[in-house]
Amino acid sequence: MRVGVVTVHNGQNYGASLQAYALVTKLRYSGFEAFLIDYRNAKIEDRISSYKRKEKNNSIKNILKNLRSLSSDMLFNTSQHLRLVSEKFSSFHDMILDSDAGIFHTCAEMKKLNMCYDAFICGSDQIWNYNITGLDETFFLLFANDAKKRISYAPSLGMSSNSISPKLKAEIGEKLQHIGHLSVREENNKSLIEELTQRRCQTVVDPVLLFTVDEWFDLLEKADDVCPSQPYAFYYPVIEQPELESFAMKEAIKRGWKLLNPRLVPKYAKAKGYTEVPKAIVGPSEFLKLLASSKAVFTNSFHATVFSAVFQKELYVVPLKGKHSIRNNRIFEYLKKIEVLTEQANDGRLIYIESGGFKNCDAILKTNRELSIEYLLNSLK
């Protein structure tokens, strides 16, 4: 059976690329001819291009943005570094992409895939988050005809159900009717999906948790050698957070570690006070290798938290505040599920898990992993 996977993969986000890789590869391990479809959501593409383009409007804001971009290029070779990172992501995606099908930009264009696929899966990540994708019809598989199996695997609405407006709920409910087998990543959204569709919706694990640690080590063997020779801590914020960065720098000095941030252009990282940089360009597999080889992880990222548990890393999380605080829920839910975080410990301040704190994690997740794989296989029968 030929299976096409549609998700968000084109934003140069390490977690998004690794979850896509895990889902496609796990399907291949299970005997399916699975591929990632190279679909480019317009809202995400516009956001990416806004980072790169020079603004023509001569407002003070745009003039300052253009000056910052020019200065960054001159001082830190930013454009060249970002180009090399982009090439690294493309090379990683080549392992799972249906390169023969080409690139798609609209739901209408995707209809031609009905001729060469038997089933389609939408997910994971925040493909159903209105603020990120605009509830793009492609991520609800509206291009697939009735003869095809249509499955959701661990998508996220990116927000709690009680914060979604009635109008948005109605739109989501209408688009969900086209999907034959329903699952979501967050327990909080399960009841809403069932209410909107009057059908069962299963909670499944994020695709990165479909892999065992040994399967992730197979990927690390393909990664370039990027790890410093001296002991280092790994700092990765999905959202920039000064208090977390300051804490990580102080803690690294106290523990005698170097501190590395894979998101930053190396010259800029040094200027900011980081004491170590990767030895080569960091793509998704190199990102994971750096995390797995570190002494500790400082983060506010869901996927960095998950991988810290997978590789048994000492972990520090400072919850996000303000408009980004909704992202904390996924981290809290996951840490509670693997029984390393109690309700009492979740006081909105630093979460610390010692290196031995994840030793029972895989055993706890084993049943959830098996049920999630069973859901996938049963949906594709």
Side-chain angles (χ1 to χ4, degrees):
M1 180 183 284
R2 193 170 164 89
V3 183
V5 174
V6 184
T7 188
V8 174
H9 72 283
N10 58 314
Q12 291 189 16
N13 178 292
Y14 293 111
S17 291
L18 289 165
Q19 62 86 16
Y21 173 84
L23 180 54
V24 171
T25 307
K26 180 56 74 171
L27 286 166
R28 290 177 179 178
Y29 288 167
S30 302
F32 297 98
E33 192 180 355
F35 293 94
L36 176 66
I37 307 302
D38 198 352
Y39 177 70
R40 310 291 179 93
N41 170 264
K43 195 166 183 175
I44 293 173
E45 287 288 283
D46 184 61
R47 190 179 73 235
I48 294 169
S49 64
S50 71
Y51 299 146
K52 301 175 183 177
R53 67 174 175 250
K54 289 185 177 179
E55 302 295 346
K56 296 179 181 178
N57 185 318
N58 289 326
S59 68
I60 293 176
K61 180 180 177 182
N62 287 340
I63 290 171
L64 289 174
K65 177 187 173 183
N66 292 340
L67 283 173
R68 281 195 298 269
S69 177
L70 181 62
S71 299
S72 180
D73 256 354
M74 292 175 64
L75 292 170
F76 307 118
N77 299 327
T78 305
S79 293
Q80 181 184 5
H81 178 79
L82 293 179
R83 178 179 57 79
L84 293 172
V85 171
S86 179
E87 290 173 0
K88 203 74 176 175
F89 269 85
S90 294
S91 176
F92 179 81
H93 294 152
D94 284 345
M95 293 191 286
I96 54 174
L97 270 177
D98 183 352
S99 53
D100 293 334
I103 299 172
F104 300 88
H105 296 92
T106 68
C107 190
E109 291 175 353
M110 295 280 284
K111 289 181 179 179
K112 76 174 190 179
L113 293 172
N114 285 293
M115 295 186 292
C116 49
Y117 281 94
D118 306 296
F120 295 99
I121 298 174
C122 58
S124 169
D125 227 337
Q126 297 187 57
I127 58 169
W128 293 349
N129 185 336
Y130 174 80
N131 297 317
I132 292 177
T133 65
L135 296 186
D136 188 332
E137 291 183 345
T138 299
F139 294 132
F140 291 87
L141 306 179
L142 266 67
F143 62 87
N145 64 40
D146 292 342
K148 307 300 176 182
K149 292 187 179 296
R150 294 157 295 184
I151 302 155
S152 71
Y153 186 82
S156 171
L157 276 72
M159 60 189 82
S160 60
S161 296
N162 58 13
S163 66
I164 302 173
S165 70
K167 182 181 178 182
L168 210 53
K169 285 180 182 179
E171 185 179 351
I172 292 169
E174 184 180 343
K175 291 179 176 178
L176 286 171
Q177 303 306 323
H178 198 68
I179 297 175
H181 299 269
L182 291 164
S183 73
V184 289
R185 188 172 67 186
E186 279 90 30
E187 188 70 37
N188 176 265
N189 295 146
K190 168 182 159 69
S191 298
L192 174 64
I193 301 300
E194 291 181 334
E195 175 191 331
L196 294 174
T197 61
Q198 296 300 299
R199 288 189 287 131
R200 181 172 181 265
C201 178
Q202 186 166 328
T203 307
V204 292
V205 298
D206 185 279
V208 303
L209 292 168
L210 294 173
F211 267 28
T212 63
V213 66
D214 288 338
E215 287 171 322
W216 282 120
F217 274 120
D218 288 342
L219 175 64
L220 298 193
E221 289 180 3
K222 303 173 187 175
D224 291 341
D225 180 16
V226 290
C227 299
S229 56
Q230 295 180 288
Y232 66 93
F234 184 84
Y235 174 72
Y236 180 70
V238 68
I239 300 290
E240 290 298 338
Q241 190 179 15
E243 60 266 43
L244 176 61
E245 182 178 51
S246 175
F247 174 77
M249 287 182 170
K250 290 176 183 175
E251 192 67 20
I253 291 171
K254 186 169 73 175
R255 304 287 291 275
W257 297 328
K258 299 290 186 179
L259 185 64
L260 182 150
N261 182 343
R263 289 188 69 188
L264 299 182
V265 177
K267 285 186 178 181
Y268 179 60
K270 287 287 189 182
K272 279 201 78 177
Y274 288 92
T275 51
E276 196 56 80
V277 295
K279 290 163 64 178
I281 299 298
V282 179
S285 51
E286 287 77 25
F287 168 89
L288 206 54
K289 190 169 190 173
L290 283 168
L291 186 151
S293 302
S294 68
K295 291 293 183 182
V297 176
F298 297 83
T299 193
N300 52 34
S301 155
F302 169 76
H303 281 112
T305 298
V306 169
F307 283 121
S308 296
V310 169
F311 293 110
Q312 305 281 305
K313 297 287 114 180
E314 188 173 326
L315 174 67
Y316 298 84
V317 176
V318 174
L320 289 160
K321 297 178 178 63
K323 66 179 181 179
H324 299 299
S325 61
I326 189 68
R327 289 176 173 269
N328 299 327
N329 295 338
R330 288 176 288 157
I331 294 176
F332 297 156
E333 273 192 28
Y334 172 69
L335 293 177
K336 288 173 188 173
K337 181 176 285 188
I338 61 174
E339 299 177 11
V340 298
L341 181 70
T342 63
E343 197 67 48
Q344 292 73 28
N346 177 17
D347 60 2
R349 293 180 290 181
L350 174 71
I351 295 170
Y352 168 64
I353 312 294
E354 60 187 12
S355 57
F358 292 118
K359 63 183 178 182
N360 299 320
C361 167
D362 198 58
I364 293 168
L365 284 171
K366 187 173 184 290
T367 300
N368 288 311
R369 179 186 295 119
E370 290 172 351
L371 287 172
S372 299
I373 294 172
E374 183 182 347
Y375 163 80
L376 264 179
L377 300 183
N378 285 341
S379 300
L380 288 165
K381 275 184 180 177

